[in-house]
Amino acid sequence: MSTYESDLLRLLEARGHLHQITDAKALDALAKKKVVTGYVGFDPTAASLHIGNLASIMLLRRLQQSGHRPIVIMGGGTAKVGDPSGKDETRQMLTDERLASNIASIKGSFERVLRFDDSESGAVLINNDDWLSKLGYIELLRDVGPHFTINRMLSFDSVKTRLDREQPLSFLEFNYMIMQAYDYLVLAREYDCQLQLGGSDQWGNIVNGIELNRRIDGREVYGFTAPLITRADGAKMGKSVDGAVWLNEEQLPGYDFWQYWRNTDDRDVGKFLRLFTDVSLDEIARLEALEGAEINDAKVILANEVTKLVRGEDAAKAAETTARDTFTQGGAGEDLPALSVGSSGMRLGAALTEIGFTASNKEAKRKIAEGAVKIEGDTILDPGYVVVAHEGDALKLSLGKKKHGLITR
């Protein structure tokens, strides 16, 4: 039985999103009394967000589902500095043009998951470059600087970790936490924003913003963090063997996105259904209790629901159809990744790397030698084998049991 009275904290707790709250009792009372505006920041350092970011996007979805107003902050300003949290090295500097391009590319991910309108709980998307780039350096030092002590800044994990490992932490990055705290001050003043949400690694940055609001404006605002999402095997959520699991279709085909969720460890099915879907808690309890081959039905539901949420219903249906054609019927679904090898064909090792199944030709040769590579169901052991497709034909290329693609002319 939840100890919370507000729909917001009850929902966040029930779905597994809750890790820390700065003043749970006060936030609970506030959320029960009025529409609360809350925000999450996302730095546009790539053309797509990945599923590690999806956990934070879902916090905003839960906020909206509870009748409150979510703000998406695109960190066009903070991304010029770089968040040192969880990083071992300085971020690559991005140009204004690249940041603008990334923001335009990322917007669609939010528009699928959140409702943007003029209603009381309609989502808002803002770029913090709108105020950070106009902020004078002397103004920042004078008005904000006195509220930060070097002693306290050095105590945060994001800074301590880099220093303990004797890895460089630039003065540029050192200012990130000040800029993020200033974001909260601006949002509280201009949007009556009283809640910042984020992953557990953002706790220090969030607390800084809360204290800055209290010291400069005497305003009480709150912070909420979700737990770091890890898989049952201990790996950090958001990564696969082949790299990041991107939310955008341009960075990761729909079938590969769907298949990532379909391959979820049995032990994670219930947790991921709670965190990343709107499936009812009663239904999730039934699904996660399934055993043996039946748990695969729950994984298909997970893959369909997340893909539908992030990519749309058509993408989910296409991916499921491809999976059924590929695995159940032994055929080759239309949604599989495809590689054209031209009229002269391509060496098998090169084809594996080109289609993205292996990271290098060296890895491809090893997989071939292990007997893990098949064409049309036949195991190929010769790394020099040339794959040739006839006009109008599509050969099914498989690496292991989970990676399948089409070779065309």
Side-chain angles (χ1 to χ4, degrees):
M1 185 75 179
S2 176
T3 56
Y4 300 114
E5 296 185 4
S6 66
D7 291 341
L8 173 62
L9 293 189
R10 282 174 175 269
L11 179 61
L12 287 168
E13 181 183 45
R15 308 291 305 199
H17 296 288
L18 194 157
H19 180 60
Q20 287 176 292
I21 308 176
T22 52
D23 188 340
K25 187 175 180 180
L27 177 60
D28 192 34
L30 184 71
K32 189 179 178 184
K33 182 175 68 174
K34 60 173 283 190
V35 173
V36 174
T37 297
Y39 85 99
V40 178
F42 301 85
D43 281 347
T45 52
S48 171
L49 298 176
H50 55 72
I51 61 169
N53 303 120
L54 184 58
S56 293
I57 300 175
M58 292 304 294
L59 293 178
L60 292 176
R61 183 174 175 85
R62 303 304 183 207
L63 189 72
Q64 192 169 56
Q65 287 174 331
S66 305
H68 302 282
R69 180 170 70 152
I71 293 181
V72 176
I73 290 294
M74 295 308 305
T78 40
K80 295 176 182 178
V81 172
D83 184 0
S85 302
K87 302 295 175 185
D88 290 337
E89 56 188 27
T90 302
R91 285 186 187 268
Q92 179 185 356
M93 300 298 285
L94 300 175
T95 63
D96 286 350
E97 292 74 21
R98 177 68 183 277
L99 287 169
S101 173
N102 287 349
I103 290 172
S105 178
I106 286 169
K107 277 184 178 179
S109 293
F110 298 109
E111 290 167 347
R112 286 193 185 278
V113 181
L114 302 173
R115 187 186 75 256
F116 288 84
D117 57 34
D118 295 329
S119 68
E120 198 173 31
S121 60
V124 181
L125 190 145
I126 310 168
N127 186 346
N128 67 9
D129 193 53
D130 292 347
W131 57 82
L132 289 177
S133 286
K134 297 172 185 174
L135 190 61
Y137 185 57
I138 299 298
E139 179 188 358
L140 179 67
L141 288 178
R142 185 191 63 217
D143 296 342
V144 180
H147 302 288
F148 288 83
T149 66
I150 297 297
N151 316 55
R152 181 163 172 75
M153 292 170 80
L154 288 172
S155 71
F156 287 111
D157 288 340
S158 59
V159 174
K160 279 177 63 179
T161 302
R162 292 272 281 273
L163 296 179
D164 289 345
R165 294 177 182 171
E166 297 185 355
Q167 291 160 334
L169 177 71
S170 71
F171 179 68
L172 185 71
E173 289 174 292
F174 198 55
N175 280 271
Y176 185 91
M177 62 183 76
I178 297 177
M179 295 171 67
Q180 186 168 320
Y182 188 76
D183 281 349
Y184 205 168
L185 185 68
V186 171
L187 291 170
R189 286 174 173 176
E190 297 188 9
Y191 294 87
D192 190 28
C193 182
Q194 291 179 271
L195 178 62
Q196 184 181 357
L197 307 100
S200 59
D201 62 331
Q202 292 298 312
W203 179 254
N205 288 332
I206 291 173
V207 169
N208 276 333
I210 291 170
E211 292 185 354
L212 190 64
N213 270 283
R214 186 179 299 140
R215 289 173 182 174
I216 293 182
D217 288 349
R219 187 193 302 264
E220 286 299 321
V221 294
Y222 306 94
F224 178 102
T225 61
L228 176 68
I229 311 298
T230 55
R231 304 197 308 249
D233 60 8
K236 187 177 178 180
M237 190 71 180
K239 301 288 185 181
S240 71
V241 178
D242 306 311
V245 181
W246 301 105
L247 300 189
N248 283 16
E249 177 74 26
E250 292 76 18
Q251 280 70 37
L252 185 72
Y255 173 76
D256 292 338
F257 183 83
W258 187 93
Q259 193 64 33
Y260 174 86
W261 297 98
R262 169 61 182 79
N263 292 336
T264 294
D265 188 295
D266 293 1
R267 297 165 290 178
D268 286 329
V269 172
K271 178 169 78 171
F272 289 173
L273 280 167
R274 279 186 286 274
L275 289 171
F276 300 111
T277 78
D278 293 331
V279 175
S280 73
L281 294 175
D282 287 344
E283 177 65 3
I284 292 172
R286 183 189 73 80
L287 291 170
E288 67 181 337
L290 297 175
E291 296 179 352
E294 285 189 329
I295 192 67
N296 290 327
D297 295 337
K299 294 180 184 181
V300 169
I301 291 172
L302 171 64
N304 282 339
E305 290 297 316
V306 181
T307 305
K308 184 165 62 174
L309 183 67
V310 175
R311 300 289 185 87
E313 192 161 356
D314 289 346
K317 287 179 178 176
E320 184 183 12
T321 299
T322 292
R324 185 171 60 248
D325 291 348
T326 303
F327 296 103
T328 309
Q329 300 171 12
E334 294 179 359
D335 204 32
L336 290 177
L339 173 68
S340 172
V341 296
S343 58
S344 57
M346 184 181 294
R347 285 181 180 270
L348 180 58
L352 287 166
T353 303
E354 192 71 24
I355 203 170
F357 289 179
T358 54
S360 65
N361 288 348
K362 182 178 180 182
E363 182 190 355
K365 287 181 180 179
R366 188 175 75 251
K367 293 294 184 182
I368 293 169
E370 292 171 356
V373 179
K374 294 182 179 181
I375 294 179
E376 290 293 303
D378 296 326
T379 301
I380 307 296
L381 296 172
D382 178 11
Y385 180 90
V386 177
V387 188
V388 179
H390 297 293
E391 192 72 44
D393 280 353
L395 302 176
K396 180 179 171 185
L397 173 66
S398 304
L399 173 58
K401 294 181 179 180
K402 297 178 179 178
K403 289 186 178 181
H404 305 277
L406 301 176
I407 299 295
T408 65
R409 184 162 180 176

